[in-house]
């Protein structure tokens, strides 16, 4: 497999490096592409086609940008798998990706910048949590609390409030996460938590 890594390098690039580790562990080659440049989109897509890119990694927003660019340029990319994280994909975006890349398999990852990737999507927006790495709880407000059990982290933490609302179920000794969504109106913007209400007030 040849994977185009669409996460930015620099600024808040933990996702770029994290996905490089995942791709390398699968014995695939990494093409560190970054975001599409509107002035060079055709060149970037031609470069991806020349090197037979068949896997894309990125946020749903970036992946949709690539899909629209493919439609507009007519460059035919044979994308077999898409790996995403950073936000919910949503049915509308998934529909666009499947229309542009027929037969594509879309796989979500759930993680925190504080401790890396915690879970991988298996089906229907259900995520399998990595075993023997995390202890998960739901607090009284319905928010996910995470205790990281990785003693290799420079800063171990207990009961970290993620700000996400999820449901947890057990399947034998496997923990399953579902219904992942923000518990309030805040969102991540270049590594900063921004509340929609503040933007409304400013506007």
């Amino acid at each position: 497999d040849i994977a185009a890594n669409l996460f930015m390098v620099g600024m808040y690039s933990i996702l770029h490096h994290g996905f490089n580790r995942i791709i390398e562990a699968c014995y695939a080659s990494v093409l560190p592409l970054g975001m599409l440049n509107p002035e060079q989109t055709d060149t970037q897509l031609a470069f991806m086609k020349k090197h037979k890119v068949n896997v894309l990694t990125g946020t749903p927003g970036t992946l949709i940008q690539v899909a629209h660019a493919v439609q507009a340029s007519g460059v035919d990319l044979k994308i077999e798998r898409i790996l995403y994280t950073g936000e919910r994909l949503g049915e509308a975006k998934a529909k666009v990706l499947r229309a542009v890349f027929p037969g594509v398999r879309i796989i979500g990852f759930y993680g925190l910048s504080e401790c890396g990737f915690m879970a991988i999507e298996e089906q229907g927006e259900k995520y399998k949590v990595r075993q023997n790495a995390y202890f998960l709880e739901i607090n009284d407000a319905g928010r996910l609390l995470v205790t990281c059990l990785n003693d290799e982290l420079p800063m171990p933490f207990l009961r970290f409030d993620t700000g996400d609302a999820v449901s947890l179920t057990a399947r034998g000794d496997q923990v399953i996460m579902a219904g992942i969504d923000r518990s309030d109106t805040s969102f991540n913007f270049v590594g900063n938590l921004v509340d929609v209400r503040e933007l409304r007030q400013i506007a």
Side-chain angles (χ1 to χ4, degrees):
D1 288 327
I2 310 293
N5 190 337
L6 300 167
F7 289 106
M8 286 291 291
V9 179
M11 295 196 314
Y12 197 63
S13 61
I14 189 169
L15 294 177
H16 175 89
H17 298 301
F19 267 95
N20 277 353
R21 300 293 82 79
I22 291 171
I23 296 164
E24 289 165 2
C26 297
Y27 300 100
S29 298
V30 183
L31 195 68
L33 196 66
M35 289 172 49
L36 291 185
N37 183 333
E39 297 172 359
Q40 300 171 344
T41 300
D42 288 351
T43 304
Q44 286 177 290
L45 293 177
F47 183 71
M48 291 165 70
K49 181 174 182 177
K50 176 182 177 182
H51 292 284
K52 298 182 171 62
V53 167
N54 66 327
V55 178
L56 297 178
T57 74
T59 64
T62 304
L63 295 164
I64 287 295
Q65 181 188 7
V66 172
H68 288 159
V70 166
Q71 282 182 315
S73 68
V75 174
D76 184 26
L77 296 180
K78 307 293 187 186
I79 303 301
E80 299 170 17
R81 282 176 298 286
I82 289 175
L83 314 179
Y84 76 91
T85 194
E87 62 191 73
R88 287 188 64 208
L89 180 64
E91 192 52 44
K93 289 177 183 173
K95 187 176 180 181
V96 170
L97 294 174
R98 290 192 175 100
V100 175
F101 307 115
V104 71
R105 181 178 174 211
I106 302 174
I107 307 158
F109 287 78
Y110 179 84
L112 304 170
S113 57
E114 292 78 9
C115 64
F117 295 107
M118 294 172 43
I120 183 171
E121 187 178 23
E122 57 171 9
Q123 58 181 356
E125 295 192 352
K126 291 185 178 178
Y127 289 73
K128 290 187 348 185
V129 177
R130 285 174 53 201
Q131 292 177 292
N132 306 318
Y134 306 99
F135 179 73
L136 307 184
E137 305 168 81
I138 305 292
N139 68 9
D140 293 339
R143 293 159 71 110
L144 177 66
L145 304 178
V146 176
T147 297
C148 185
L149 306 178
N150 183 355
D151 59 3
E152 296 178 2
L153 282 180
M155 183 63 69
F157 61 84
L158 300 175
R159 306 194 83 199
F160 175 76
D161 185 348
T162 65
D164 287 338
V166 306
S167 65
L168 299 176
T169 56
R171 184 196 300 150
D173 61 354
Q174 177 72 63
V175 176
I176 304 297
M177 293 173 56
I180 301 171
D181 204 353
R182 290 299 297 168
S183 61
D184 52 30
T185 58
S186 61
F187 63 97
N188 188 320
F189 179 71
V190 196
N192 300 287
L193 202 59
V194 180
D195 195 308
V196 171
R197 289 172 296 188
E198 292 182 28
L199 295 180
R200 285 193 184 124
Q201 285 179 336
I202 292 169

